[in-house]
Amino acid sequence: MTTPPIVLDAEAVARLLPQVDVLQEMRALFAELGRGQAVQPAQTLTLFPEGQGDFITYLGAGGGSFGAKLSPYLVREVGPVITAWTVLMSMETGQPLMLCDSGRLTTERTAATTALAVDLLAGKEAKTVAIIGSGAVAQAHWRHVQGLRDWQQVRVYSPGLGADAGKQAAWRGICPEAAFAVSAEEAAREADVVMLCTSSGTPVLDAAAVAPGALVTSISTNAAEAHEIAPAFLASAQVYCDYRETTPASAGEMVLAARDHGWSADQLRGDLAGLAAGTCEGPEPGRPVFFRSIGLGLEDIAIANAIYRAASA
């Protein structure tokens, strides 16, 4: 008799998340990918007819299961609608194990992937972190990186943050020492780590404000050719990504840098898979470092697997 799959909505996922060490799940999956024990196909972008939006399919197989996350970007007059659901299936039986809302999971695995990059790429003596963006994704980034270094300064910027008492209070709740900058450039100036945590499709930071040797991380959004920093920055930076086999063809600033600024994917120094498995070198001192994450299906499968284990316990 086939056991029906577990179905978890956003509320059910939120109840289970405290049982999951998301950063450790990401660390384990990238080491597995680096050892060739997992498979990460390229994500696919499917455009809806008549400019109604698109959806991205994130695929992955590893850890005894496989599956996909579907994430639509739906154009609406009042602003885009973005949702995501993940289906998890067994590599032993071929049967579906779980269907779950991926909204909160995407936030957490995105932030934890950035945190893993910070742990592997930032200098051990890093003291100052700048966070561009102030919403749920930015807050998750801080929660996942806060224990990775002895941070002495935490600067946060997003448009309107200075006048938003509610959002400031939320930040004070998770980071009492946070300072609210008046611009992205002020936040980033002389920072050791700059985390771009927005859904912007266009640059949110002037690259001239990035200090020599600083690490800049970026997530951007799933809009076509979206990027949070000028593509020309890649020509002067030491560039890493989550997975070198798929990211350069999807990340907006990489596509544009290759087209307009003489940059090539051959110039990538490495990816999280190689860093986690110990098969690629870290950055050299004195030059800025850029890390780009597009979000991998394997990240979704790994965190869904962890949620499934928690739900089945």
Side-chain angles (χ1 to χ4, degrees):
M1 181 176 179
T2 302
T3 302
I6 297 171
V7 179
L8 301 176
D9 62 11
E11 185 177 341
V13 168
R15 288 196 300 268
L16 292 166
L17 257 174
Q19 302 177 41
V20 176
D21 185 339
V22 185
L23 179 54
Q24 182 56 36
E25 294 293 336
M26 296 303 106
R27 194 184 302 276
L29 92 84
F30 278 106
E32 186 179 56
L33 181 60
R35 294 192 298 265
Q37 297 170 333
V39 177
Q40 179 55 71
Q43 63 179 227
T44 61
L45 173 67
T46 303
L47 301 179
F48 291 141
E50 299 178 342
Q52 297 176 66
D54 60 60
F55 74 94
I56 292 180
T57 306
Y58 301 81
L59 304 167
S65 61
F66 67 98
K69 183 182 78 173
L70 301 180
S71 180
Y73 182 94
L74 309 175
V75 176
R76 297 292 184 267
E77 289 185 4
V78 295
V81 174
I82 303 173
T83 66
W85 284 76
T86 298
V87 58
L88 184 68
M89 300 183 68
S90 169
M91 291 175 65
E92 295 182 1
T93 68
Q95 296 298 313
L97 302 173
M98 183 177 69
L99 175 67
C100 69
D101 184 289
S102 301
R104 179 71 182 278
L105 296 184
T106 301
T107 296
E108 296 299 322
R109 62 84 158 153
T110 299
T113 297
T114 297
L116 180 59
V118 170
D119 196 29
L120 295 171
L121 292 171
K124 297 302 180 185
E125 302 302 317
K127 301 291 186 183
T128 302
V129 59
I131 303 169
I132 311 303
S134 60
V137 173
Q139 292 172 28
H141 272 66
W142 167 246
R143 285 190 282 102
H144 286 295
V145 303
Q146 62 180 326
L148 298 180
R149 297 292 188 275
D150 181 20
W151 305 113
Q152 301 298 307
Q153 294 187 58
V154 181
R155 307 181 196 138
V156 185
Y157 170 77
S158 71
L161 176 60
D164 191 328
K167 194 165 284 186
Q168 287 189 23
W171 271 97
R172 294 298 186 203
I174 63 171
C175 184
E177 66 272 26
F180 304 121
V182 299
S183 69
E185 289 70 31
E186 180 187 82
R189 194 162 291 117
E190 297 184 1
D192 301 302
V193 175
V194 181
M195 298 190 298
L196 308 180
C197 312
T198 79
S199 58
S200 177
T202 55
V204 297
L205 172 69
D206 184 346
V210 177
L215 167 65
V216 178
T217 71
S218 176
I219 56 171
S220 196
T221 185
N222 62 357
E225 296 186 346
H227 52 285
E228 295 178 292
I229 199 162
F233 177 63
L234 274 64
S236 61
Q238 303 176 79
V239 182
Y240 293 81
C241 63
D242 41 9
Y243 189 45
R244 68 188 309 155
E245 300 300 323
T246 61
T247 301
S250 297
E253 70 288 309
M254 292 187 177
V255 172
L256 295 174
R259 187 190 71 189
D260 301 330
H261 301 285
W263 184 80
S264 165
D266 293 337
Q267 296 172 252
L268 278 169
R269 285 185 62 89
D271 59 11
L272 279 187
L275 289 165
T279 58
C280 81
E281 295 183 355
E284 300 173 352
R287 291 175 56 208
V289 182
F290 179 65
F291 170 78
R292 178 61 148 97
S293 170
I294 60 169
L296 303 180
L298 273 173
E299 296 169 24
D300 297 303
I301 298 309
I303 193 169
N305 247 325
I307 289 291
Y308 176 74
R309 294 195 301 271
S312 302

